[in-house]
């Protein structure tokens, strides 16, 4: 009973046709039927619009303004004035922003491969038929992910603080050299250690689930051909879970660009973590600590745009390679 | 499949449901029923609920809800400013003096001069009233002030062979050596590079006035000769490893609390309100601590500076400025409220009548140099505060610049002195970028 098939047909004629054809009762029913998909969408839409889209639009709007005084001591209320793209221009030439950005890039280049490697090995191990206590290991590796990021950082902060750390105390008790986990040169890797501890299990679970979807026939064929378990892992499992691997990689890259919780918590015990340590920490310090919502908004928007471009090209690249 | 207009009707009805849901979420603000004006009050101290209860008992038409908020630079003030922007700020809040210009500059405080008559203002320390007065506007009433002295653990000092607290900074440096000789974990003090307000007070005491006004312009003098002298003094102690620069051992951090309690950090240059902090953190050292005037740059002086000290302000966006101002006046002039403030919170009150009472009670905790306990507040009563220091209207940015640059210095083995020019430049640039007139003073 589709009537609006002709492209460009005026809607008034469509209305008239509908009204003539449908009796009132079934028209109500049609409205109800038409509304059903939207009703199902409501819970998602409400949360999406309220907590993602609205703040995003608000942030963009704010980023075009600036608080200004007009000469004098500034001891009068300021005016909020239109600033055009000047905030954006300032971010693009802001050494603090780019230094933080460079730092998370280096972090990602080292930490993500290490974490993904550990996750892959763990996934292959718990997927291997010979391993005893598989369910226990699967749970044990995943538990850190269930610990909130802030709690994980506090926990590890305790291990890193020289005066409290059992690691430091144990090492110095046997007269071994004691590492400083909180110095300028080590703190980034101390953070990397926390991130790896937190998210290796999560990625492991993604890989492991993808391995469950590999058809059993492939294994049978491989075993008939005499492949060892290691060769099966190398030639079947790893190639077959490539999409899941790429997904995990994408999540990790986005998470790294948005690195915040761990350095913000460790900030309290390490002087090496500055208010400009990562792009998000910088945005937070400008917007919240210095109450400059306008410039902070521009930093956040630019980081968002960079993350979007990054993810877009990453997805494009992986799709092209897999031919999907 | 529904037709286009039907689909539109469906969409509209869904949107209607959606908006009514949102409206339901947003309509939680309660109306003030029965003519009672509801006010909220934020401060750092738990006892404010008792003070608010006392107020509510005697003021049937106003109901104050007091909320204890966590203190700290990175928490409290951003929270107040964000709340103003979000439209759910408290009506009345504690604002430390150093932040008042920053808040005024953001349009965050209400001028209460029309509600507070001169007769009331005269009940307070004129210096403290001055910190709340800008031109003809009054942005709050002063609660307590924070003149500084030297809190020291007399028992640890005696173990190190120090018989009297240092009266000059030269003696202080010599004592630092003696205390560190007690053991590798023993320090005369912690030195936290991010404790910017504390360091500014050390500058202020030496007459290194960082911020002054000249006519309609700010004069920023962070890199003056006196400032370099003070920074150089601490550089020397840091270089020799005589002060504890571990971030975890900075003032108010857990490592510091622990070290005070164990006695390994032996003194603290702090404001009069610090007595409550020492008592709370170093409970095991009861009877060992004492208080003395700050070490001096010029022999025979009694120079000090303000570190902190707070006023009570009416916050922009309140619908009840008159009632809020009434509460502020009651809070700092009523004897019930002042008694709780002085005896339980430990105010060194700006209210002059209450200050006289505060100066009479010895505290057995501080029996390190006086058996039976010192009258702690007395040490702070006759200090000289070098004149001219005015806090800038962008203290949050100054705090970030100073903390960041000193932090860089400590972690990279650079001197504090080498950071002063950069801090000064950043502060001037920041003020100018906000359209505020500022120039260098050196």
């Amino acid at each position: 009973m589709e009537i609006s098939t002709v492209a460009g047909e005026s809607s008034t004629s469509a209305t008239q046709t509908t009204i003539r054809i449908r009796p009132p009762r079934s028209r109500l029913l049609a409205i109800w039927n038409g509304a059903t998909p939207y009703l199902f969408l409501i819970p998602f839409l409400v949360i999406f619009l309220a907590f993602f889209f609205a703040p995003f639009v608000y942030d963009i709007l704010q980023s075009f303004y600036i608080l200004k005084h007009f000469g004098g001591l500034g001891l009068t209320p300021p005016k909020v004035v239109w600033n055009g793209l000047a905030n954006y221009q300032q971010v693009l030439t802001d050494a603090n922003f780019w230094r933080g950005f460079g730092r998370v890039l280096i972090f990602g280049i080292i930490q993500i491969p290490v974490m993904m490697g550990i996750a892959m090995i763990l996934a292959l191990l718990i997927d291997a038929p010979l391993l005893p206590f598989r369910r226990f290991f699967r749970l044990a590796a995943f538990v850190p992910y269930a610990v909130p990021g802030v709690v994980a950082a506090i926990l590890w902060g305790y291990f890193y603080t020289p005066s409290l750390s059992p690691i430091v105390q144990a090492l110095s008790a046997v007269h071994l050299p004691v590492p400083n986990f909180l110095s300028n040169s080590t703190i980034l890797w101390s953070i990397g250690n926390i991130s790896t501890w937190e998210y290796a299990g999560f990625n492991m679970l993604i890989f492991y689930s993808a391995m469950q979807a590999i058809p059993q026939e492939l294994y049978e064929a491989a075993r008939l051909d005499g492949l060892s378990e290691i060769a099966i892992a190398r030639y079947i499992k790893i190639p077959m879970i490539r999409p899941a691997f790429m997904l995990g990689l994408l999540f990790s890259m986005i998470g790294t660009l948005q690195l915040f919780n761990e350095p913000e918590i460790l900030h309290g015990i390490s002087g090496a973590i500055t208010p400009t340590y990562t792009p998000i920490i910088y945005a937070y310090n400008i917007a919240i600590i210095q109450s400059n919502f306008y410039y902070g908004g521009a930093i956040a928007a630019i980081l968002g745009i960079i993350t979007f471009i990054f993810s877009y090209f990453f997805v494009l690249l992986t799709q092209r390679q897999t031919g999907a | 499949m529904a037709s286009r207009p039907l689909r539109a009707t469906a969409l509209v009805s869904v949107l209607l449901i959606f908006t009514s849901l949102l409206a339901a979420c947003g309509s939680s603000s309660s109306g003030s029923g029965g003519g009672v004006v509801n006010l909220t009050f934020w401060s750092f101290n738990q006892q404010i609920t008792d003070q608010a209860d006392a107020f509510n008992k005697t003021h049937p038409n106003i109901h104050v809800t007091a909320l204890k908020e966590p203190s700290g630079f990175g928490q409290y003030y951003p929270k107040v400013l964000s709340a103003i922007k979000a439209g759910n700020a408290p009506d009345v809040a504690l604002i430390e003096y150093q932040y008042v210009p920053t808040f005024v500059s953001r349009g965050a405080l209400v001028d209460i001069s029309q509600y507070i008559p001169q007769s009331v203002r005269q009940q307070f320390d004129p210096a403290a009233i001055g910190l709340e007065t800008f031109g003809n506007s009054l942005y709050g009433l002063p609660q307590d002030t924070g003149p500084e002295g030297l809190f020291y653990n007399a028992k640890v000092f005696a173990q190190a062979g120090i018989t009297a607290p240092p009266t000059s900074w030269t003696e202080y440096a010599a004592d630092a050596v003696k205390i560190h000789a007690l053991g590798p974990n023993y320090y005369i003090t912690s030195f936290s590079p991010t404790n910017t307000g504390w360091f500014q007070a050390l500058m202020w005491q030496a007459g290194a006035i960082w911020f002054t006004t000249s006519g309609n312009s700010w004069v920023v003098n962070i890199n003056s000769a006196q400032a370099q002298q003070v920074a150089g003094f601490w550089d020397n102690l840091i270089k020799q490893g005589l002060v504890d620069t571990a971030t975890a051992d900075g003032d108010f951090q857990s490592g510091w609390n622990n070290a005070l309690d164990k006695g390994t950090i032996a003194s603290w240059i702090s404001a009069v309100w610090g007595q409550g902090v020492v008592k709370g953190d170093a409970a095991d050292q009861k009877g060992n601590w004492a208080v003395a005037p700050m070490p001096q740059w010029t022999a025979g002086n009694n120079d000090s500076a303000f570190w902190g000290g707070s006023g009570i302000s009416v916050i922009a966006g309140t619908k009840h400025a008159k009632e809020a101002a009434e509460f502020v006046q009651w809070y700092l002039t009523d004897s019930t409220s002042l008694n709780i403030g002085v005896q339980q919170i430990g105010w060194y009150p700006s209210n002059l009548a209450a200050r006289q009472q505060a100066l009479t009670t010895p505290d057995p905790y501080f029996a390190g140099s006086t058996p039976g306990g010192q009258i702690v507040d007395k040490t702070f009563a006759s200090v000289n505060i070098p004149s001219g220091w005015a806090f800038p209207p962008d203290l949050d940015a100054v705090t970030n610049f100073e903390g960041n640059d000193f932090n860089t210095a400590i972690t990279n083995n650079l001197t504090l002195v080498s950071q002063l020019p950069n801090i000064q430049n950043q502060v001037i640039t920041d003020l100018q970028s906000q359209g505020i007139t500022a120039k260098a003073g050196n």
Side-chain angles (χ1 to χ4, degrees):
Chain A
M1 184 66 269
E2 188 61 61
I3 42 140
S4 54
T5 45
V6 184
E9 187 188 18
S10 81
S11 57
T12 34
S13 72
T15 318
Q16 284 158 2
T17 325
T18 321
I19 288 162
R20 266 184 226 125
I21 292 169
R22 288 186 178 270
R25 255 183 69 191
S26 67
R27 182 167 175 265
L28 263 178
L29 196 69
I31 291 176
W32 175 247
N33 284 340
T36 312
Y38 298 108
L39 282 172
F40 276 111
L41 272 175
I42 275 189
F44 166 75
L45 270 182
V46 169
I47 291 167
F48 179 79
L49 290 176
F51 296 108
F52 186 83
F53 191 69
F56 178 72
V57 170
Y58 184 69
D59 175 84
I60 299 289
L61 288 177
Q62 296 274 298
S63 66
F64 294 119
Y65 289 88
I66 192 173
L67 275 188
K68 268 276 182 206
H69 291 272
F70 294 90
L73 297 176
L75 296 174
T76 47
K79 286 192 170 61
V80 179
V81 294
W82 178 257
N83 202 26
L85 289 171
N87 286 339
Y88 286 89
Q89 213 174 351
Q90 198 186 332
V91 178
L92 291 177
T93 56
D94 188 334
N96 282 328
F97 176 77
W98 292 113
R99 239 175 280 152
F101 190 75
R103 191 171 287 124
V104 292
L105 274 190
I106 295 171
F107 180 88
I109 289 169
I110 309 281
Q111 188 263 338
I112 295 177
V114 169
M115 176 182 68
M116 297 304 262
I118 293 174
M120 183 64 87
I121 292 168
L122 287 175
L124 289 170
L125 279 177
I126 60 167
D127 193 52
L130 299 174
L131 186 81
F133 309 117
R134 282 158 63 188
R135 290 167 64 108
F136 169 76
F137 284 119
R138 192 170 66 199
L139 186 68
F142 186 70
V143 157
Y145 180 70
V147 175
V150 171
V151 177
I154 293 173
L155 196 77
W156 279 98
Y158 167 72
F159 287 121
Y160 292 158
T161 307
S163 53
L164 304 171
S165 168
I167 300 174
V168 171
Q169 281 165 13
L171 284 175
S172 49
V174 292
H175 302 291
L176 282 172
V178 176
N180 180 354
F181 298 108
L182 304 171
S183 77
N184 256 0
S185 51
T186 53
I187 186 71
L188 196 61
W189 313 120
S190 300
I191 296 169
N193 173 51
I194 302 178
S195 302
T196 307
W197 181 80
E198 275 182 282
Y199 296 108
F202 171 73
N203 284 297
M204 172 206 76
L205 208 67
I206 293 185
F207 301 166
Y208 176 72
S209 327
M211 285 172 194
Q212 303 312 298
I214 298 174
Q216 287 299 318
E217 298 84 54
L218 283 173
Y219 293 139
E220 281 168 28
R223 289 195 183 103
L224 282 177
D225 288 341
L227 254 63
S228 67
E229 284 301 323
I230 290 178
I232 288 176
R234 165 75 182 79
Y235 294 107
I236 296 179
K237 288 183 182 172
I238 295 179
M240 288 294 279
I241 64 157
R242 190 187 150 84
F245 185 80
M246 289 301 166
L247 183 75
L249 204 56
L250 180 67
F251 284 166
S252 303
M253 286 187 341
I254 294 175
T256 300
L257 286 173
Q258 299 178 349
L259 191 63
F260 178 80
N261 280 347
E262 297 84 0
E264 181 62 22
I265 296 295
L266 294 185
H267 167 74
I269 55 169
S270 171
I273 294 173
T274 61
T276 60
Y277 200 70
T278 73
I280 293 275
I281 286 191
Y282 186 41
Y284 168 77
N285 270 290
I286 294 285
I288 306 297
I289 308 294
Q290 295 193 31
S291 309
N292 187 346
F293 302 99
Y294 313 96
Y295 189 53
I299 297 174
I302 287 197
L303 184 71
I305 292 165
I306 292 175
T307 311
F308 177 77
I309 294 173
F310 228 72
S311 322
Y312 180 79
F313 280 103
F314 182 81
V315 170
L316 205 70
L317 203 75
T318 51
Q319 278 182 349
R320 201 168 282 164
Q321 278 184 359
T322 52
Chain B
M1 286 284 261
S3 70
R4 212 184 295 163
L6 271 178
R7 208 177 282 170
T9 322
L11 188 60
V12 166
S13 41
V14 168
L15 282 177
L16 276 176
I17 298 172
F18 174 59
T19 44
S20 57
L21 272 176
L22 275 189
C25 296
S27 64
S28 58
S29 60
S30 57
S32 50
V36 174
V37 171
N38 284 305
L39 300 176
T40 40
F41 169 43
W42 287 5
S43 173
F44 301 154
N45 308 107
Q46 193 60 57
Q47 296 88 340
I48 57 172
T49 48
D50 298 337
Q51 291 169 311
D53 286 347
F55 178 84
N56 292 335
K57 254 179 223 154
T58 50
H59 296 75
N61 296 327
I62 307 176
H63 186 269
V64 174
T65 308
L67 294 170
K68 177 195 180 296
E69 296 291 326
S71 62
F73 158 73
Q75 296 182 46
Y76 179 72
Y77 296 106
K79 183 171 178 176
V80 177
L81 287 171
S82 305
I84 293 171
K85 185 144 177 81
N88 54 13
D91 301 274
V92 179
L94 172 139
I95 308 288
E96 285 165 278
Y97 300 125
Q98 67 268 32
Y99 281 102
V100 171
T102 302
F103 269 64
V104 170
S105 148
R106 301 274 157 75
L109 303 182
V110 175
D111 176 9
I112 53 170
S113 53
Q114 57 172 312
Y115 307 117
I116 310 289
Q118 283 300 336
S119 59
V120 172
R121 296 184 212 183
Q122 279 159 8
Q123 297 175 32
F124 293 89
D125 180 346
I129 281 281
L131 293 168
E132 301 279 6
T133 309
F134 297 83
N136 293 323
S137 304
L138 181 71
Y139 286 107
L141 283 178
Q143 170 189 289
D144 62 332
T145 57
E148 284 201 308
L150 174 71
F151 291 91
Y152 67 102
N153 188 325
K155 193 177 161 202
V156 176
F157 269 52
Q159 279 165 7
I162 305 164
T163 47
T167 56
S168 70
W169 286 108
T170 318
E171 283 177 31
Y172 182 87
D175 291 348
V177 177
K178 292 180 191 163
I179 284 167
H180 195 53
L182 287 175
N185 295 329
Y186 279 82
Y187 296 99
I188 193 164
T189 184
S190 79
F191 183 91
S192 166
T194 51
N195 200 348
T196 54
W198 179 79
F199 195 75
Q200 286 164 19
L202 293 173
M203 288 284 170
W204 188 349
Q205 187 229 6
I209 305 298
W210 276 15
F211 311 100
T212 46
T213 58
S214 163
N216 241 352
S217 172
W218 285 93
V219 181
V220 182
N221 224 340
I222 295 174
N223 191 29
S224 68
Q226 294 108 305
Q228 290 173 8
Q229 190 194 357
V230 177
F233 173 82
W234 290 96
D235 276 333
N236 185 33
L237 294 180
I238 293 165
K239 195 175 70 192
Q240 297 180 60
L242 297 175
V243 291
D244 185 358
T245 53
T247 311
D249 295 343
D251 306 24
F252 309 111
Q253 304 289 338
S254 54
W256 182 76
N257 300 345
N258 193 17
L260 281 194
D261 205 27
K262 283 197 294 192
T264 51
I265 286 180
S267 76
W268 186 31
I269 297 153
S270 181
V272 57
W273 48 257
Q275 56 187 296
V277 180
V278 173
K279 273 162 80 167
D281 287 346
D284 289 349
Q285 299 288 334
K286 183 172 194 253
N288 297 339
W289 280 76
V291 64
M294 269 180 106
Q296 298 294 311
W297 290 102
T298 311
N301 281 13
N302 191 8
D303 293 333
S304 180
F306 285 133
W307 181 25
S310 309
I312 306 292
S313 294
V314 177
I315 302 299
T318 177
K319 295 189 186 74
H320 310 289
K322 183 173 171 290
E323 290 81 359
E326 185 182 340
F327 173 70
V328 173
Q329 182 182 326
W330 176 91
Y331 188 71
L332 297 172
T333 55
D334 177 82
S335 60
T336 313
S337 169
L338 285 168
N339 274 339
I340 294 175
V342 171
Q343 281 160 22
Q344 292 180 38
I345 306 177
W347 291 348
Y348 180 68
S350 304
N351 184 307
L352 293 169
R355 185 178 291 180
Q356 285 315 310
Q357 292 173 346
L359 288 174
T360 56
T361 1
D363 185 339
Y365 180 91
F366 292 93
S369 64
T370 318
Q374 259 175 301
I375 301 171
V376 175
D377 290 349
K378 237 180 190 161
T379 308
F380 300 87
S382 55
V383 296
N384 169 52
I385 308 285
S387 63
W389 184 292
F391 280 102
D394 65 337
L395 191 74
D396 36 15
V398 173
T399 305
N400 249 357
F401 298 144
E402 184 190 333
N404 204 3
D405 286 1
F406 281 172
N407 216 345
T408 307
I410 300 275
T411 45
N412 296 295
N413 295 321
L414 304 170
T415 62
L416 303 176
V417 173
S418 70
Q419 304 299 311
L420 296 176
N422 191 38
I423 299 172
Q424 172 163 318
N425 289 341
Q426 290 176 89
V427 171
I428 293 173
T429 309
D430 181 69
L431 287 170
Q432 287 171 346
S433 76
Q434 295 185 39
I436 296 167
T437 315
K439 61 184 182 205
N442 51 68

